[in-house]
Amino acid sequence: MSKNLDATLAALADPTRRHVVELLRERPRRAGELAAASAMSGPAMSRHLRVLRASGLVEVEFEEEQVDHDARVRVYRLCPEPFVDLQAWLDQVQAFWSNQLDAFKTHAERTHEHTYRGEDR
Amino acid sequence: MSKNLDATLAALADPTRRHVVELLRERPRRAGELAAASAMSGPAMSRHLRVLRASGLVEVEFEEEQVDHDARVRVYRLCPEPFVDLQAWLDQVQAFWSNQLDAFKTHAERTHEHTYRGEDR
DNA sequence: AATGTCATTAACTATTGGATTAAATAGTAA
DNA sequence: TTACTATTTAATCCAATAGTTAATGACATT
């Protein structure tokens, strides 16, 4: 439904970017710190951060207004909104879950062995 | 963390596949029905369904054991597990949220106008 | 048996995505 | 000013993804 869910999920679909999220979950960090922590070149990380920015999952802050400010560094921090939106979508999907689960269980009792879950898992 | 989160998020990142999920959320449906509902060719939908299958988000069922069974049709239904896993990951990220939010608000009061959220939103 | 239907796979094309190196931008420090 | 640091952008390459039409497999219908 939400148009932005697309960008959010696309951003989170990449393991590197999820790792960044997990790092930022603890505290805001500098771009270079994130690159180093992910054993990744600066430019590569920069592109990932651009994607995360565009999706609204993170925001950047310049170090101005700080006691020992260095205007070169960019500090990234997590933004809550997209996560909340994703939660909302998941809740909406799972709102139908109880009946689905009932139907599933009822069915599974009858024809469980004909269920096919794909070739690769 | 979970290796499968990758496949789950990659699968859900596509709008067509999310649409399928939203359709299946109501009830199980046949492959052809999903293709028609998404105004998409059969083969294209088939590929999407393969991705959804591989990620464990859906499973297929043959129509055997049914009163008016037609062995050609495949009925797809939603699987709960990956959604639960995703919920768990989100919860884990948001467990750190209260402090983050506090820090964010405190900071925002001081330097809100220097915050930059990306060029395209 | 012959023809039509449901769904998937194959083969091909176009687009997107991530990684790299090199260059640019902006700022610090000697 | 000159050299060094932090980060982003540019140019390029390769791999992965999504769509199309045509072909195939398996079954249904007459």
Side-chain angles (χ1 to χ4, degrees):
Chain A
M1 272 193 169
S2 163
K3 192 259 150 198
N4 225 35
L5 252 192
D6 225 274
T8 301
L9 286 163
L12 292 178
D14 183 278
T16 301
R17 290 192 290 259
R18 271 205 313 288
H19 184 222
V20 167
V21 165
E22 292 180 359
L23 289 170
L24 294 184
R25 170 189 81 168
E26 300 169 12
R27 65 170 176 281
R29 296 180 195 252
R30 311 183 324 172
E33 194 182 350
L34 295 169
S38 304
M40 167 161 290
S41 72
M45 177 54 71
S46 194
R47 299 206 75 167
H48 284 300
L49 291 173
R50 189 219 290 257
V51 173
L52 287 167
R53 245 185 290 136
S55 73
L57 283 161
V58 309
E59 62 186 11
V60 211
E61 162 210 346
F62 301 88
E63 266 198 343
E64 311 171 4
E65 342 265 302
Q66 225 144 298
V67 274
D68 66 338
H69 71 288
D70 179 342
R72 286 172 303 181
V73 339
R74 304 276 194 287
V75 176
Y76 283 84
R77 79 175 64 242
L78 232 42
C79 293
E81 294 88 348
F83 290 98
V84 173
D85 290 351
L86 180 49
Q87 280 272 16
W89 185 76
L90 276 178
D91 288 347
Q92 180 199 313
V93 170
Q94 293 187 322
F96 291 73
W97 222 247
S98 40
N99 358 349
Q100 281 283 85
L101 264 183
D102 291 349
F104 174 75
K105 282 193 296 193
T106 309
H107 178 84
E109 285 158 11
R110 301 205 325 272
T111 60
H112 178 259
E113 55 288 341
H114 299 100
T115 291
Y116 180 56
R117 296 168 97 103
E119 40 288 330
D120 33 16
R121 29 188 322 258
Chain B
M1 272 193 169
S2 163
K3 193 260 148 198
N4 225 36
L5 252 191
D6 227 274
T8 301
L9 286 163
L12 293 178
D14 183 278
T16 301
R17 290 192 289 259
R18 271 207 312 289
H19 184 220
V20 167
V21 166
E22 292 180 358
L23 289 170
L24 293 184
R25 169 189 82 167
E26 300 168 13
R27 65 170 177 281
R29 296 180 195 252
R30 311 183 325 175
E33 193 181 351
L34 294 169
S38 304
M40 167 162 289
S41 72
M45 177 55 71
S46 196
R47 300 203 70 148
H48 284 300
L49 291 173
R50 188 217 293 255
V51 173
L52 287 167
R53 245 184 290 137
S55 72
L57 283 160
V58 308
E59 62 185 13
V60 211
E61 162 210 345
F62 301 88
E63 266 199 343
E64 310 170 6
E65 340 267 302
Q66 225 143 298
V67 275
D68 65 339
H69 72 288
D70 179 341
R72 287 171 303 179
V73 338
R74 304 279 193 285
V75 176
Y76 283 84
R77 77 176 65 243
L78 233 42
C79 292
E81 294 88 348
F83 291 97
V84 173
D85 291 351
L86 180 49
Q87 281 272 15
W89 185 77
L90 276 178
D91 288 347
Q92 180 199 314
V93 170
Q94 293 188 320
F96 291 73
W97 222 248
S98 42
N99 358 350
Q100 281 284 83
L101 264 184
D102 290 350
F104 174 74
K105 282 193 296 194
T106 309
H107 179 85
E109 285 158 11
R110 302 203 326 272
T111 60
H112 179 257
E113 56 287 341
H114 299 100
T115 292
Y116 179 57
R117 296 168 97 104
E119 41 288 327
D120 34 14
R121 32 190 319 262

